[in-house]
Every structure is written in structure tokens, then in C-alpha cells.
């Protein structure tokens, strides 16, 4: 069932609810909200884009090591981490890492100063029992966060990581 359709000059971006999934369809024909439609994708029109939105991943660097604590930064985040809990072996200053977290391991807040990073919701989609939001910071970093509540595009929010949410691996591993 069509949930919305917006004309973009030469085509329509149409959102179609299929069971618990919402699909974004680009088409030449105009459909109205509530129209029931069928979907067909010609095999030569399928485009696969390699990007994993099921997890956030960033290039990180160890800025300093002091005793059993490492100062690690990535994107808009700087954290002090207990080296033993990182489970990546020896940690040295200047070491490149990959930092990653599952979107369900972060929480949105309308208090922009309450979280680890702050930004603006630029897009979202519904995934059956929750929404997946993309939050963009002023420095153009994107964070994907799952939340059960409905937020609006352009809402100013902060992203707070749950305890032990951020994991690290040696770069390239």
C-alpha cells in the first residue's frame, strides 16, 4: 500500500508498505496515498550497494596510552578505554583501530548535551518493530541508531552509547 509519493522533477519517490517493511520506490507514474500496488523488479535493474547499515564502523586511532587506559578517538568521539577490556592484544600510541557498535546499542535523546555526540536526524525508516535513524553531526559524520519511538527528520538529538557498546578491532582484521 502506498504511504506517500513525492514528485522530484522527472520521477516520483513513492513509499510502499509491504507487510512490516517499507520500501522506497522510484517510478515515473504517480500513485496516491492508500493506492494498492504490485512491485516488480527487472533483474537487470537490481543495484547492490555494499554498505552495512546494521552496524556503525569508523576508523579510530589510539591517541595516548597511560597505564592500563587508552585514549581512543574516532569520528566525533573521544573515549578513555580500559585496555584489558578491549581484547585486542597490545595497544600502542598511534595504533589504528576500527571502532564499531550495533545501532541498538545507542540511545537517542532530545537533550542535545546528554549524549556522546550530537546531531540532526537526516533520515529514518521503519523496520517492523522499530525505526532506524541516521543522525548526522555538524562535521558530517553519520551514526545509525535504532529506536522504538518516532522522531522527525530535522530533530536535533544526541546519541548516547550504552555501557560497553563500542567494540574495537585492529584495523584490517
Amino acid at each position: 500500500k502506498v504511504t506517500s509519493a513525492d514528485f522530484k522533477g522527472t520521477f516520483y519517490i513513492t513509499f510502499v508498505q509491504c507487510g512490516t517493511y517499507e520500501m522506497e520506490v522510484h517510478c515515473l507514474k504517480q500513485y496516491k496515498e492508500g493506492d494498492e500496488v504490485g512491485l516488480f523488479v527487472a533483474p537487470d535493474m537490481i543495484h547492490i550497494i555494499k554498505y552495512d547499515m546494521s552496524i556503525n564502523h569508523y576508523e579510530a586511532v589510539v591517541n595516548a596510552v597511560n597505564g592500563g587506559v587508552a585514549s581512543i578517538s574516532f569520528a566525533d568521539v573521544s573515549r578513555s578505554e580500559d585496555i584489558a577490556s578491549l581484547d585486542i592484544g597490545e595497544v600502542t600510541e598511534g595504533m589504528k583501530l576500527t571502532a564499531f557498535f550495533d545501532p541498538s546499542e545507542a540511545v537517542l535523546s532530545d537533550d542535545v548535551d546528554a549524549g556522546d555526540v550530537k546531531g540532526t536526524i537526516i533520515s529514518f525508516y521503519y523496520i517492523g518493530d522499530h525505526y532506524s535513524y541516521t543522525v548526522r553531526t555538524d562535521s558530517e559524520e553519520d551514526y545509525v541508531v535504532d529506536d522504538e519511538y518516532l522522531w522527525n527528520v530535522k530533530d536535533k538529538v544526541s546519541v548516547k552509547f550504552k555501557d560497553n557498546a563500542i567494540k574495537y578491532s585492529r584495523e584490517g582484521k
Side-chain angles (χ1 to χ4, degrees):
K1 190 175 273 196
V2 173
T3 58
S4 69
D6 294 315
F7 186 61
K8 297 297 182 183
T10 58
F11 65 96
Y12 292 88
I13 294 181
T14 304
F15 287 91
V16 179
Q17 190 71 39
C18 298
T20 59
Y21 297 97
E22 182 179 57
M23 296 185 188
E24 178 180 326
V25 180
H26 295 206
C27 54
L28 299 176
K29 184 176 177 185
Q30 179 182 13
Y31 295 96
K32 293 184 174 81
E33 186 175 330
D35 285 352
E36 292 203 17
V37 297
L39 299 174
F40 169 78
V41 180
D44 62 338
M45 296 302 290
I46 296 173
H47 301 274
I48 298 174
I49 301 169
K50 284 184 107 179
Y51 185 76
D52 185 359
M53 286 186 61
S54 66
I55 196 158
N56 292 275
H57 35 90
Y58 307 92
E59 292 179 11
V61 65
V62 177
N63 298 313
V65 177
N66 187 4
V69 177
S71 170
I72 301 174
S73 63
F74 64 92
D76 297 305
V77 178
S78 293
R79 298 176 64 89
S80 294
E81 301 283 4
D82 176 49
I83 293 173
S85 70
L86 297 179
D87 194 30
I88 58 172
E90 183 183 2
V91 176
T92 59
E93 188 173 323
M95 176 184 277
K96 303 253 188 250
L97 301 172
T98 299
F100 55 95
F101 70 92
D102 186 283
S104 66
E105 293 294 314
V107 178
L108 292 177
S109 172
D110 56 0
D111 179 352
V112 295
D113 297 319
D116 296 292
V117 294
K118 54 185 161 186
T120 304
I121 294 174
I122 62 163
S123 68
F124 70 92
Y125 58 95
Y126 186 65
I127 310 179
D129 63 350
H130 67 277
Y131 297 89
S132 179
Y133 295 94
T134 300
V135 176
R136 181 164 293 157
T137 67
D138 288 341
S139 62
E140 300 288 317
E141 291 290 343
D142 288 350
Y143 295 85
V144 178
V145 179
D146 291 346
D147 197 290
E148 64 182 298
Y149 300 107
L150 179 60
W151 296 78
N152 297 309
V153 169
K154 297 185 182 176
D155 278 354
K156 303 285 187 195
V157 296
S158 67
V159 177
K160 175 77 175 157
F161 304 114
K162 295 179 182 176
D163 290 341
N164 303 313
I166 300 173
K167 307 294 183 214
Y168 300 92
S169 67
R170 292 182 180 274
E171 195 167 79
K173 304 230 182 222

